[in-house]
Amino acid sequence: MKQRKRWNMLWYFLALVWGLMTILPLMITVFSSFKNNNEINMGVFSMPEHWRIENYAKANETANAFGSIGNSILLALLTTVLVTVVGMLAAYILARKKLFFIKPVYLLFMVGVMVPVHCTIVPISGMASALHAKDSFWFLVLIYSAFNLAQAVYLYTGFIQSIDRELDEAAIIDGCTDVTLLSKILSPICKPIIATEAIFVFIYGYSELIFSLTLLSKPEKFTVSRAMLNFTGEHSTDMGPQFAFIVMAMIPTLFIYLIFHERVESGILSGAVKG
């Protein structure tokens, strides 16, 4: 009993340390968003001497905060929807159909998980130039979807394979087609893993920098990560508005996670049940 209490105390202590490591950076960011450079340099943990709400207005003026956040939300939502729909369709075929090309296609998706993003920058930039697709949101959505689809297919396929096939057989006997079986029966069962992957894809699409930096040049098309670079001056950086921009940029992701966190936690390891 004593040993068990010691282990419980150890876990509580580790949880407290982890909580402080998570909360303190958030507190520092929020407090710093109301400070000027001198107050930030004097102490990041101190309260602002004057609450400079104008930092938020300056952040919007410098980096078009509302516009860039809106662009990132649009890209993230479109990418999430496309990856979810295409990923579920592909996973259903890979998990339920017995066709000669299933294993090679599945292996191709697995190889896609291991492709480094950086080695694709040059060819993708060339494709964008050839298609006149620079500063185009639809091209970015396709790129984001391509890099997230492999992981989505892997997770969805593993989850669907863990569902008893007798459910499919009963539905087919009742007259269900493949479309009805996937949309009405399997998809509701797969909600935990769909929500989990949707969060990952949304965060990727919302915060991605490499391709937005390469393919976007018009300020009105900038995403959050691309607009953040506007705060870097030639000689100095005004850190207060920069922290204000970070706070505003965090709100959509926190809002999305608070809505779906229960399903994310329940499905975080579900896709790896079977492979």
Side-chain angles (χ1 to χ4, degrees):
M1 182 66 72
K2 290 183 179 180
Q3 185 176 5
R4 188 173 184 179
K5 288 183 178 180
R6 290 176 182 175
W7 277 109
N8 288 337
M9 291 179 63
L10 176 62
W11 288 121
Y12 288 143
F13 175 75
L14 293 176
L16 177 63
V17 172
W18 184 265
L20 291 174
M21 291 174 61
T22 303
I23 294 173
L24 284 178
L26 181 61
M27 293 176 59
I28 292 171
T29 302
V30 173
F31 288 153
S32 298
S33 68
F34 295 98
K35 298 178 181 179
N36 58 22
N37 285 3
N38 292 332
E39 290 175 327
I40 293 173
N41 292 328
M42 289 296 293
V44 292
F45 293 101
S46 62
M47 298 288 287
E49 295 180 6
H50 302 285
W51 294 81
R52 293 174 170 80
I53 301 177
E54 62 270 16
N55 284 347
Y56 285 83
K58 192 172 181 180
N60 185 54
E61 179 183 349
T62 302
N64 186 23
F66 294 120
S68 60
I69 291 172
N71 291 337
S72 290
I73 291 175
L74 176 63
L75 287 170
L77 287 176
L78 292 175
T79 303
T80 302
V81 171
L82 185 59
V83 169
T84 301
V85 173
V86 176
M88 282 298 293
L89 291 172
Y92 174 72
I93 298 297
L94 294 173
R96 287 300 197 244
K97 300 299 180 180
K98 296 181 179 180
L99 302 172
F100 69 93
F101 56 82
I102 292 296
K103 287 187 177 180
V105 170
Y106 186 74
L107 289 175
L108 285 176
F109 277 113
M110 294 306 97
V111 171
V113 177
M114 299 178 283
V115 174
V117 175
H118 302 84
C119 70
T120 65
I121 296 175
V122 174
I124 287 177
S125 180
M127 290 171 58
S129 298
L131 296 172
H132 305 287
K134 289 195 173 182
D135 291 310
S136 174
F137 281 171
W138 69 264
F139 190 75
L140 271 178
V141 169
L142 291 177
I143 297 301
Y144 293 172
S145 300
F147 279 96
N148 284 276
L149 194 57
Q151 176 179 280
V153 169
Y154 171 71
L155 293 176
Y156 296 160
T157 302
F159 196 96
I160 292 175
Q161 286 176 342
S162 67
I163 301 173
D164 197 337
R165 287 179 178 268
E166 292 182 359
L167 189 64
D168 299 20
E169 296 171 358
I172 292 172
I173 292 173
D174 289 337
C176 286
T177 62
D178 287 333
V179 175
T180 306
L181 175 61
L182 178 60
S183 61
K184 301 294 184 180
I185 298 176
L186 294 180
S187 292
I189 298 175
C190 294
K191 280 183 179 179
I193 196 63
I194 291 175
T196 302
E197 179 62 17
I199 289 291
F200 293 153
V201 176
F202 184 90
I203 292 174
Y204 174 89
Y206 186 79
S207 59
E208 197 278 331
L209 173 62
I210 296 176
F211 293 116
S212 60
L213 182 62
T214 305
L215 302 176
L216 298 178
S217 59
K218 297 179 179 179
E220 65 270 17
K221 295 289 187 73
F222 284 176
T223 60
V224 166
S225 301
R226 180 67 179 85
M228 183 68 71
L229 300 179
N230 289 346
F231 290 99
T232 304
E234 185 177 353
H235 302 290
S236 62
T237 301
D238 197 354
M239 292 186 288
Q242 187 172 9
F243 278 108
F245 182 83
I246 293 172
V247 171
M248 288 190 288
M250 286 191 302
I251 293 174
T253 54
L254 289 175
F255 182 74
I256 293 293
Y257 182 77
L258 288 175
I259 294 176
F260 296 105
H261 73 280
E262 291 182 358
R263 288 181 178 174
V264 170
E265 291 168 1
S266 63
I268 192 71
L269 296 176
S270 300
V273 174
K274 294 183 179 181

